């Protein structure tokens, strides 16, 4: 392939897209606004269908070696500190090569993809290069970027906007980002306190609570010794300052998981949470992927996973488009498949997940718990539930969209 692909955004989706394209012979140039890969704690849950894609890209060995394997996950009733249901990916053994989740921090994935990318000739990664505009023309597209040497213009055959939720590429193409923003924000607190050894919680635990739900995850951390991340909603009227202040942080952790000594909190972060999908994932020679195309609340760990699926589909579509028999429909197929999948699977599941954890009506809560228990107890329903949460169903559905 001689067509250079420009990619705005060197986050996990930008780097994985670049690698997927480079492996198909495309020269690629990545433009990242910051001077390094952002290592703020965000995604880590990597589902079976995504592990298969990472395997095809030659990344899964290192991801599994450096990540935390999580074969099971639990729903718990916070008020009673009781397990509602436990799900075990082992039941998917005949459906996937990877019947487990791997907790692998997203900045490690971006770094790993960049390391592999550098093995391919014709690839460039520009840090401190902020995309400020996209200028499409017949047969090519220009990207204007602010660099340390001033504003520069780069030309490619295609441009991928993988520049996150506030995507400059999406805005510059005039593509609407329809949806809404939740009134509360999510606070992520990271601690070394070992919730498995001390409390018996597993590496992925979802706590339902009408007052204040929580999600608990284990990740490896930089030293591999293990860190635990707890995600809580803030109250809509709570200021960012008070949520992030030491007193507020300790109070929140103690309320959920009381202990004598204060928590050692190694990281704290606050995120706005949205449900939004771009009106189009493709306009001419410009394509959107990852958070630039869709954002959702993180309960269920689906946003980045979906972005990695975008990356692979995008590379396949561009390869077919640039091949001998390719036509414009190949690019539209990217939009049809990925947009549909995001709405049908990611948006609907993450909204349902949030409602399940925060439900206040005792009768609805009890019904939802009964439903989860019955699902986990029945092997047919257990498998069906995991086929959906692990995105295997979404891959099967995407293949049917022509
Ligand atoms: C608390 C939390 C937990 C989450 N957990 C999970 C999970 O477990 N599993 C999951 O699948 N998802 C999860 N998500 C969602 C996940 O973090 C995102 O979907 C993911 O970051 C999307 O990756 P991306 O590369 O598309 O965007 P980003 O990670 O936002 O990367 C975009 C990159 O583009 C750069 N950039 C921005 N503007 C420009 C510009 N103009 N020019 C050049 N570069 C630019 C940015 O600096 C950044 O490096 C979570 C999110 C949050 C907030």
């Amino acid at each position: 392939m001689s067509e250079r692909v420009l990619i705005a955004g060197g986050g996990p989706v930008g780097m994985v897209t670049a690698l997927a394209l480079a492996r198909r012979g495309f020269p690629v140039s990545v433009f990242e606004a910051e001077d390094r890969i952002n290592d703020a704690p965000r995604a880590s849950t990597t589902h079976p269908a995504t592990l298969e894609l990472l395997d095809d890209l030659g990344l899964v060995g290192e991801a599994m070696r450096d990540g935390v394997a999580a074969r099971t996950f639990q729903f718990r009733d916070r008020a009673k500190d009781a397990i509602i249901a436990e799900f075990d990916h082992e039941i998917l053994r005949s459906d996937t090569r990877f019947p487990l989740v791997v907790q692998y921090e997203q900045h490690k994935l971006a770094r790993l993809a960049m390391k592999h990318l550098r093995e391919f000739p014709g690839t460039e990664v520009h840090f401190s290069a902020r995309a400020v505009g996209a200028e499409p023309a017949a047969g090519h597209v220009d990207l204007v970027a602010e660099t340390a040497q001033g504003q520069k213009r780069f030309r490619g055959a295609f441009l991928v906007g993988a520049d996150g939720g506030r995507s400059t590429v999406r805005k510059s193409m005039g593509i609407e980002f329809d949806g809404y923003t939740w009134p509360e924000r999510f606070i992520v607190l990271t601690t070394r306190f070992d919730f498995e050894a001390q409390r018996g919680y597993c590496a992925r635990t979802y706590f339902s609570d009408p007052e204040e739900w929580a999600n608990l995850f284990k990740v490896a951390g930089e030293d591999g010794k293990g860190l635990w991340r707890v995600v809580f909603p803030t109250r809509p009227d709570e200021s960012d300052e008070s949520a992030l202040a030491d007193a507020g942080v300790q109070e929140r952790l103690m309320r959920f998981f009381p202990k004598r000594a204060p928590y050692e909190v190694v990281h704290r972060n606050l995120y706005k949470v949205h449900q939004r999908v771009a009106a189009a994932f493709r306009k001419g020679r410009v394509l959107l992927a990852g958070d630039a195309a869709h954002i959702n609340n993180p309960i269920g760990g689906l946003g980045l996973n979906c972005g990695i699926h975008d990356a692979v589909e995008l590379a396949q579509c561009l390869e077919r488009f640039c091949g001998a028999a390719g036509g414009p429909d190949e690019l539209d197929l990217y939009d049809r498949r990925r947009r549909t999948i995001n709405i049908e699977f990611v948006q609907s599941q993450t909204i349902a997940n949030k409602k399940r954890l925060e439900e206040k009506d005792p009768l609805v809560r009890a019904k939802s718990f009964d439903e989860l228990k019955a699902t986990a107890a029945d092997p047919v329903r257990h498998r069906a539930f995991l086929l959906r949460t692990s995105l295997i169903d979404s891959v099967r559905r995407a293949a049917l969209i022509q």
Side-chain angles (χ1 to χ4, degrees):
M1 302 287 172
S2 58
E3 293 89 345
R4 179 163 291 275
V5 184
L6 311 180
I7 299 170
V13 173
M15 290 299 182
V16 172
T17 305
L19 179 62
L21 287 163
R23 287 175 67 96
R24 286 173 169 76
F26 285 94
V28 294
S29 305
V30 179
F31 301 86
E32 166 55 45
E34 303 301 327
D35 61 359
R36 72 195 71 170
I37 286 171
N38 180 344
D39 61 2
R42 289 168 75 188
S44 56
T45 300
T46 314
H47 291 287
T50 312
L51 292 171
E52 293 194 9
L53 299 181
L54 296 184
D55 190 23
D56 297 342
L57 293 170
L59 303 179
V60 87
E62 284 161 279
M64 289 181 77
R65 184 196 65 199
D66 297 338
V68 172
R71 200 180 103 176
T72 59
F73 66 96
Q74 291 181 347
F75 287 97
R76 296 183 79 104
D77 179 350
R78 149 71 192 133
K80 296 190 178 141
D81 195 22
I83 297 176
I84 305 164
E86 177 169 290
F87 289 87
D88 185 348
H89 288 87
E90 182 58 25
I91 206 162
L92 301 181
R93 185 154 286 283
S94 60
D95 296 287
T96 173
R97 315 197 281 283
F98 299 101
L100 80 168
V101 154
V102 175
Q103 294 289 115
Y104 186 55
E105 298 101 309
Q106 69 174 60
H107 65 276
K108 294 184 185 170
L109 175 62
R111 282 184 200 153
L112 179 64
M114 183 171 72
K115 184 182 95 177
H116 283 244
L117 180 65
R118 293 204 192 274
E119 291 165 11
F120 292 86
T123 61
E124 300 167 356
V125 178
H126 304 265
F127 282 98
S128 304
R130 177 176 293 278
V132 291
E135 296 179 9
H140 67 262
V141 51
D142 283 353
L143 176 74
V144 182
E146 292 287 357
T147 72
Q149 295 78 40
Q151 207 169 77
K152 285 191 178 176
R153 179 178 290 267
F154 300 85
R155 180 157 296 181
F158 304 95
L159 169 65
V160 179
D163 49 346
R166 294 185 191 142
S167 173
T168 301
V169 171
R170 186 188 66 237
K171 289 176 191 160
S172 133
M173 294 303 293
I175 300 173
E176 294 296 325
F177 206 28
D178 303 325
Y180 56 90
T181 300
W182 296 100
E184 69 273 43
R185 287 136 294 139
F186 287 11
I187 184 165
V188 184
L189 304 175
T190 306
T191 172
R192 276 188 250 276
F193 183 77
D194 188 341
F195 285 100
E196 194 168 22
Q198 305 289 335
R199 301 290 156 93
Y201 297 146
C202 71
R204 283 179 72 208
T205 309
Y206 296 92
F207 294 85
S208 170
D209 185 350
E211 300 304 321
E212 189 188 45
W213 55 263
N215 292 174
L216 180 64
F217 302 104
K218 185 177 182 188
V219 295
E222 293 306 314
D223 59 7
K225 289 184 179 163
L227 289 174
W228 290 80
R229 288 187 188 157
V230 200
V231 186
F232 300 100
T234 62
R235 293 179 300 278
D237 61 349
E238 191 176 5
S239 73
D240 291 5
E241 293 69 33
S242 81
L244 288 169
D246 281 343
V249 163
Q250 290 297 333
E251 189 207 312
R252 209 164 225 126
L253 284 167
M254 290 292 184
R255 196 166 50 237
F256 248 88
F257 314 106
K259 69 184 189 80
R260 225 175 286 147
Y263 279 89
E264 179 202 1
V265 177
V266 297
H267 208 287
R268 60 191 80 185
N269 224 336
L270 205 55
Y271 293 96
K272 276 193 184 158
V273 191
H274 320 261
Q275 306 286 157
R276 293 182 187 275
V277 183
F281 282 19
R282 177 243 164 164
K283 197 166 176 183
R285 289 176 168 260
V286 179
L287 301 105
L288 302 177
D291 278 18
H294 45 77
I295 44 179
N296 53 270
N297 81 69
I299 306 172
L302 293 175
L304 173 57
N305 280 266
C306 189
I308 294 167
H309 291 231
D310 295 345
V312 172
E313 181 82 42
L314 188 154
Q316 289 168 347
C317 286
L318 280 192
E319 184 181 38
R320 286 195 300 269
F321 179 79
C322 296
D329 198 48
E330 300 297 345
L331 296 187
D332 286 333
L333 184 59
Y334 172 72
D335 175 280
R336 279 202 300 282
R337 280 194 176 157
R338 296 312 308 158
R339 198 166 175 280
T340 308
I341 292 301
N342 189 271
I343 293 166
E344 286 184 3
F345 288 83
V346 178
Q347 299 297 330
S348 68
Q349 274 191 77
T350 54
I351 294 167
N353 289 343
K354 182 171 180 295
K355 286 200 169 130
R356 177 161 40 213
L357 295 190
E358 71 191 7
E359 181 58 56
K360 292 197 187 310
D361 182 326
L363 290 179
V364 180
R365 235 166 97 72
K367 201 170 158 227
S368 140
F369 289 1
D370 288 347
E371 182 74 18
L372 277 175
K373 278 182 197 150
T375 305
D378 173 352
V380 174
R381 290 175 68 189
H382 193 128
R383 174 173 166 264
F385 185 83
L386 289 183
L387 283 174
R388 191 164 164 80
T389 60
S390 66
L391 292 176
I392 294 173
D393 270 354
S394 84
V395 172
R396 293 176 180 169
R397 164 84 175 106
L400 299 176
I401 301 174
Q402 291 304 323

